[in-house]
């Protein structure tokens, strides 16, 4: 019982996570507990972490081409394979000179593409490894 309580306390930043969708309701995921919606994205109270979600139509461009094109924005970007809701995805990640970590998940299902962007500073008080894991594991394509 004590181990369960400790685990719940360790994940308390996710315990009240709410399911949110992009504006077109193409996909959904868990927004971090305590983060509020402000002008196009979810932000924490101290404005040291932000989450944005965008549905985009994808045509003939492959997932790899899409990821490589997005990675050109910063030469420090690493691209990793991942799966979101059973679909192949790419996770792009880099840290700016100002200390902001940028994580971008790209995935597609048919003609629907999804971009999920998480940006946070070194001063972010939230459990970012747990939030990152929650975003990836809770991602879900909505029926269309």
């Amino acid at each position: 019982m004590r181990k369960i309580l400790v685990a719940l306390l360790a994940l308390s930043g996710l315990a009240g996570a709410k399911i949110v969708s992009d504006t077109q309701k193409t996909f959904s995921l868990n927004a971090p507990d305590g983060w509020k919606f402000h002008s196009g994205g979810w932000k924490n109270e101290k404005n040291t972490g932000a989450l944005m979600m965008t549905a985009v139509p994808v045509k003939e461009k492959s997932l790899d081409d899409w990821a490589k094109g997005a990675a050109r924005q910063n030469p420090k970007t690493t691209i990793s394979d991942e799966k979101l809701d059973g679909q192949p995805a790419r996770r792009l990640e880099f840290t700016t000179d100002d200390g902001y970590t940028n994580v971008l998940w790209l995935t597609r299902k048919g003609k629907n593409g999804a971009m999920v962007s998480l940006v946070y500073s070194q001063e972010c008080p939230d459990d970012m490894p747990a939030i990152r894991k929650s975003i990836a594991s809770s991602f879900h394509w909505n029926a269309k």
Side-chain angles (χ1 to χ4, degrees):
M1 179 69 173
R2 184 179 173 139
K3 287 182 182 180
I4 293 171
L5 182 59
V6 169
L8 287 174
L9 288 173
L11 294 175
S12 64
L14 303 176
K18 56 193 149 295
I19 299 171
V20 298
S21 292
D22 65 286
T23 57
Q24 298 174 20
K25 307 229 183 292
T26 304
F27 63 92
S28 58
L29 52 84
N30 288 343
D33 184 34
W35 289 30
K36 306 247 188 270
F37 187 79
H38 296 282
S39 54
W42 297 86
K43 297 179 182 172
N44 67 2
E45 186 178 316
K46 297 188 183 285
N47 203 28
T48 55
L51 170 69
M52 289 164 278
M53 306 164 41
T54 308
V56 293
V58 286
K59 297 180 179 155
E60 283 73 40
K61 186 179 279 197
S62 73
L63 185 58
D64 284 327
D65 288 343
W66 188 16
K68 287 174 187 172
R72 284 189 207 123
Q73 296 177 29
N74 189 301
K76 299 176 189 175
T77 302
T78 60
I79 301 174
S80 304
D81 292 339
E82 210 165 304
K83 288 221 181 240
L84 296 178
D85 197 19
Q87 295 296 121
R90 300 296 177 266
R91 185 184 71 242
L92 288 70
E93 189 168 347
F94 66 90
T95 301
T96 66
D97 293 336
D98 297 346
Y100 283 89
T101 299
N102 293 266
V103 184
L104 178 68
W105 288 271
L106 303 174
T107 189
R108 61 184 290 171
K109 185 174 183 180
K111 294 181 181 180
N112 295 315
M115 275 192 322
V116 178
S117 174
L118 178 67
V119 179
Y120 54 95
S121 72
Q122 295 171 339
E123 291 80 32
C124 187
D126 301 302
D127 183 352
M128 296 316 293
I131 288 172
R132 290 168 57 137
K133 185 175 182 179
S134 175
I135 288 169
S137 66
S138 68
F139 182 95
H140 176 71
W141 289 103
N142 298 329
K144 282 229 162 206

